[in-house]
Coordinates of all heavy atoms in Angstrom, one line a residue:
Y140 N -7.2 77.5 12.4 CA -8.4 78.4 12.1 C -9.6 78.0 12.9 O -10.4 78.8 13.4 CB -8.7 78.4 10.6 CG -7.7 79.2 9.9 CD1 -6.6 78.5 9.3 CD2 -7.7 80.6 9.8 CE1 -5.6 79.2 8.7 CE2 -6.8 81.3 9.1 CZ -5.7 80.6 8.6 OH -4.7 81.3 7.9
S141 N -9.8 76.6 13.1 CA -11.1 76.3 13.9 C -10.9 76.7 15.3 O -11.9 77.1 15.9 CB -11.5 74.8 13.7 OG -10.4 74.0 13.6
F143 N -9.2 79.2 16.4 CA -9.4 80.7 16.4 C -10.9 81.0 16.4 O -11.4 81.9 17.1 CB -8.7 81.3 15.1 CG -8.7 82.8 15.0 CD1 -8.5 83.6 16.0 CD2 -9.0 83.3 13.7 CE1 -8.5 85.0 15.9 CE2 -9.0 84.7 13.6 CZ -8.8 85.6 14.7
E144 N -11.6 80.4 15.5 CA -13.1 80.6 15.4 C -13.8 80.3 16.7 O -14.7 81.1 17.2 CB -13.7 79.8 14.2 CG -15.0 80.4 13.8 CD -15.4 80.1 12.3 OE1 -14.6 79.4 11.7 OE2 -16.4 80.5 11.9
E145 N -13.4 79.2 17.3 CA -13.9 78.8 18.6 C -13.7 80.0 19.7 O -14.6 80.3 20.4 CB -13.2 77.6 19.2 CG -13.9 76.4 19.4 CD -12.9 75.3 19.8 OE1 -12.3 75.3 20.9 OE2 -12.7 74.4 18.9
L146 N -12.5 80.5 19.7 CA -12.2 81.6 20.6 C -13.0 82.8 20.3 O -13.5 83.5 21.3 CB -10.7 81.9 20.6 CG -9.7 80.8 21.1 CD1 -8.2 81.2 20.8 CD2 -9.9 80.7 22.6
L147 N -13.1 83.1 19.0 CA -13.9 84.3 18.7 C -15.4 84.2 19.1 O -16.0 85.1 19.5 CB -13.8 84.6 17.2 CG -12.4 85.1 16.7 CD1 -12.3 85.0 15.1 CD2 -12.2 86.5 17.1
K148 N -15.9 82.9 18.9 CA -17.3 82.7 19.3 C -17.5 82.8 20.8 O -18.5 83.4 21.2 CB -17.7 81.3 18.9 CG -18.2 81.1 17.4 CD -18.6 79.7 17.2 CE -18.7 79.4 15.7 NZ -18.6 78.0 15.3
H150 N -15.5 84.5 23.0 CA -15.1 85.7 23.6 C -15.7 86.9 22.8 O -15.0 87.3 21.8 CB -13.6 85.8 23.8 CG -13.1 84.7 24.6 ND1 -13.2 84.7 26.0 CD2 -12.5 83.5 24.3 CE1 -12.7 83.5 26.5 NE2 -12.2 82.8 25.4
K151 N -16.8 87.4 23.2 CA -17.5 88.4 22.3 C -16.8 89.7 22.3 O -16.9 90.5 21.3 CB -18.9 88.6 22.9 CG -19.8 87.3 22.9 CD -20.3 87.0 21.5 CE -21.1 85.7 21.5 NZ -20.7 84.7 20.6
A153 N -13.5 90.7 22.1 CA -12.0 90.4 22.0 C -11.3 91.3 21.0 O -11.9 91.8 20.0 CB -11.9 88.9 21.5
V155 N -7.9 91.1 18.6 CA -6.9 90.1 18.0 C -5.6 90.8 17.7 O -5.6 91.9 17.1 CB -7.5 89.5 16.8 CG1 -6.6 88.4 16.2 CG2 -8.9 88.9 17.1
K171 N -5.1 88.0 5.7 CA -6.4 88.4 5.1 C -7.4 87.5 5.6 O -8.5 87.9 6.1 CB -6.3 88.4 3.6 CG -7.5 89.1 3.0 CD -7.4 89.3 1.5 CE -8.8 89.7 1.0 NZ -8.8 89.8 -0.4
R172 N -7.1 86.2 5.6 CA -8.1 85.2 6.1 C -8.4 85.4 7.6 O -9.5 85.4 8.0 CB -7.6 83.8 5.8 CG -8.5 82.7 6.2 CD -8.0 81.4 5.7 NE -8.8 80.3 6.3 CZ -8.5 79.0 6.3 NH1 -7.3 78.6 5.8 NH2 -9.3 78.2 6.9
I173 N -7.3 85.7 8.3 CA -7.5 85.8 9.8 C -8.3 87.1 10.1 O -9.2 87.1 10.9 CB -6.1 85.9 10.5 CG1 -5.4 84.5 10.3 CG2 -6.2 86.3 11.9 CD1 -4.0 84.4 10.8
T174 N -8.0 88.2 9.3 CA -8.7 89.4 9.5 C -10.2 89.2 9.2 O -11.1 89.7 9.9 CB -8.1 90.5 8.6 OG1 -6.8 90.8 9.0 CG2 -8.9 91.9 8.7
T175 N -10.5 88.6 8.1 CA -11.9 88.4 7.7 C -12.6 87.6 8.7 O -13.8 87.9 9.1 CB -11.9 87.6 6.3 OG1 -11.1 88.3 5.4 CG2 -13.3 87.5 5.8
L176 N -12.0 86.6 9.3 CA -12.6 85.8 10.3 C -12.8 86.6 11.6 O -13.9 86.5 12.2 CB -11.7 84.6 10.6 CG -12.3 83.3 11.1 CD1 -13.5 82.9 10.3 CD2 -11.3 82.2 11.1
A177 N -11.8 87.4 12.0 CA -12.0 88.3 13.2 C -13.2 89.2 13.0 O -14.0 89.3 13.9 CB -10.7 89.1 13.4
H178 N -13.3 89.8 11.8 CA -14.3 90.8 11.6 C -15.7 90.1 11.5 O -16.7 90.7 11.9 CB -14.1 91.5 10.3 CG -13.0 92.6 10.4 ND1 -12.4 93.2 9.3 CD2 -12.3 93.0 11.5 CE1 -11.5 94.1 9.7 NE2 -11.4 94.0 11.0
K179 N -15.7 88.8 11.1 CA -17.0 88.1 11.1 C -17.6 88.1 12.5 O -18.8 88.1 12.6 CB -16.7 86.7 10.5 CG -17.9 85.8 10.4 CD -17.6 84.5 9.8 CE -18.7 83.5 10.1 NZ -18.3 82.1 9.9
Y180 N -16.7 88.0 13.5 CA -17.2 88.0 14.9 C -17.1 89.4 15.5 O -17.0 89.5 16.8 CB -16.4 86.9 15.6 CG -16.8 85.5 15.1 CD1 -16.1 84.9 14.1 CD2 -18.0 84.9 15.6 CE1 -16.4 83.7 13.6 CE2 -18.3 83.6 15.1 CZ -17.6 83.0 14.1 OH -18.0 81.8 13.6
N181 N -17.0 90.4 14.7 CA -16.9 91.8 15.2 C -15.7 92.1 16.1 O -15.7 93.0 16.9 CB -18.2 92.2 16.0 CG -19.4 92.1 15.1 OD1 -19.3 92.6 13.9 ND2 -20.5 91.5 15.6
A182 N -14.6 91.3 15.9 CA -13.4 91.6 16.7 C -12.5 92.5 15.8 O -12.4 92.3 14.6 CB -12.7 90.3 17.0
L183 N -11.8 93.4 16.4 CA -10.8 94.2 15.7 C -9.5 93.5 15.8 O -9.2 92.8 16.7 CB -10.7 95.6 16.3 CG -12.0 96.5 16.2 CD1 -11.8 97.8 16.7 CD2 -12.5 96.6 14.7
I184 N -8.6 93.9 14.8 CA -7.4 93.1 14.7 C -6.2 94.0 14.4 O -6.2 94.9 13.5 CB -7.5 92.0 13.6 CG1 -6.2 91.2 13.4 CG2 -8.1 92.5 12.3 CD1 -6.3 89.9 12.8
I202 N -6.2 93.8 2.8 CA -6.1 93.0 4.0 C -7.3 93.4 4.9 O -7.9 92.6 5.6 CB -4.8 93.2 4.7 CG1 -3.6 92.6 3.8 CG2 -4.8 92.4 6.1 CD1 -2.3 93.1 4.3
N203 N -7.5 94.7 5.0 CA -8.6 95.3 5.8 C -8.4 95.2 7.3 O -9.4 95.2 8.0 CB -9.9 94.7 5.3 CG -11.1 95.5 5.8 OD1 -11.0 96.7 6.0 ND2 -12.3 94.9 5.9
D205 N -7.2 96.4 11.1 CA -7.5 97.7 11.8 C -6.3 98.4 12.2 O -6.2 99.7 12.2 CB -8.5 97.4 13.0 CG -9.7 96.7 12.5 OD1 -10.5 97.3 11.8 OD2 -9.9 95.5 12.8
K226 N -6.6 102.4 11.0 CA -7.6 102.6 10.1 C -8.3 103.9 10.4 O -8.6 104.2 11.6 CB -8.6 101.4 10.1 CG -9.5 101.3 8.9 CD -10.6 100.3 9.1 CE -10.1 99.0 8.5 NZ -11.1 97.9 8.7

Side-chain angles (χ1 to χ4, degrees):
Y140 287 92
S141 39
F143 182 44
E144 199 156 1
E145 240 174 72
L146 290 172
L147 288 165
K148 272 185 197 155
H150 302 281
K151 300 281 180 234
V155 180
K171 189 171 173 188
R172 183 170 170 197
I173 293 172
T174 298
T175 308
L176 208 48
H178 286 169
K179 182 175 162 195
Y180 292 93
N181 297 319
L183 294 184
I184 175 161
I202 296 163
N203 196 27
D205 303 293
K226 197 186 264 176

